[in-house]
Amino acid sequence: MTFHEVQDTLDDVRRRSAQARAEHVRHGLSWPYLLAEALLVFTAFASYDLPNPWGGAVLLPSLLLAMGTIAVYLRKAPVRMPLTYKGALLGAAAGLVLVGLFRLLSDVAGAVGVPAPHVVAAAALCVAGVLAAHRWGTVVVARELRGHDGSRRR
């Protein structure tokens, strides 16, 4: 093999890896999955405003929705990528930021005098989160499909 053949092969591997990452993000941040996860987060956070016996009753439907979403996601995923430590840390950090923002927003809504502060905070976070995640996914997919020199990858 010549140097150019090796370089072309490496470029092809990089291009295919970028296409796989782009498809993984495109599938994971598609509208159906974003809406299902927003519904899951909303029910979990908004349940704080329910009276005592009903707050715990929301746990079972939330777990069923989470399991169903994961099963459908794994079944229909066009690309299966392993979970890396970087992805796990990013997910944990995003979860901590989400919980922190929820507590801050619900405290502010409670101080203002909103009748159901947790519902309002959960709704605001879910709407903002879905829109931000969809936009972020679009940017990531475009970046992955663009070559290092700015040209579009095939």
Side-chain angles (χ1 to χ4, degrees):
M1 286 186 109
T2 66
F3 171 76
H4 295 292
E5 292 172 336
V6 170
Q7 188 63 45
D8 288 344
T9 303
L10 284 173
D11 289 343
D12 190 44
V13 167
R14 288 185 186 114
R15 182 175 53 252
R16 296 293 182 192
S17 295
Q19 287 174 340
R21 284 189 303 273
E23 189 57 37
H24 180 71
V25 171
R26 180 183 296 134
H27 176 69
L29 295 179
S30 64
W31 282 114
Y33 295 113
L34 282 175
L35 294 176
E37 293 304 319
L39 179 63
L40 177 65
V41 170
F42 178 77
T43 57
F45 284 162
S47 69
Y48 284 104
D49 284 334
L50 293 175
N52 197 7
W54 295 105
V58 174
L59 180 63
L60 182 62
S62 295
L63 289 175
L64 290 175
L65 178 63
M67 289 188 316
T69 302
I70 291 169
V72 170
Y73 175 81
L74 291 175
R75 175 98 169 116
K76 295 195 179 245
V79 176
R80 288 182 175 84
M81 298 187 75
L83 180 64
T84 62
Y85 74 92
K86 184 179 177 182
L89 287 176
L90 182 63
L96 289 173
V97 167
L98 183 67
V99 169
L101 282 172
F102 170 72
R103 291 190 58 134
L104 177 71
L105 285 175
S106 62
D107 288 345
V108 168
V112 172
V114 175
H118 296 101
V119 172
V120 172
L125 276 179
C126 288
V127 169
V130 165
L131 295 176
H134 183 69
R135 178 65 184 141
W136 178 72
T138 304
V139 169
V140 168
V141 167
R143 185 187 69 215
E144 289 293 337
L145 294 179
R146 200 172 32 245
H148 293 289
D149 59 354
S151 65
R152 187 133 175 102
R153 290 183 179 159
R154 287 179 239 163

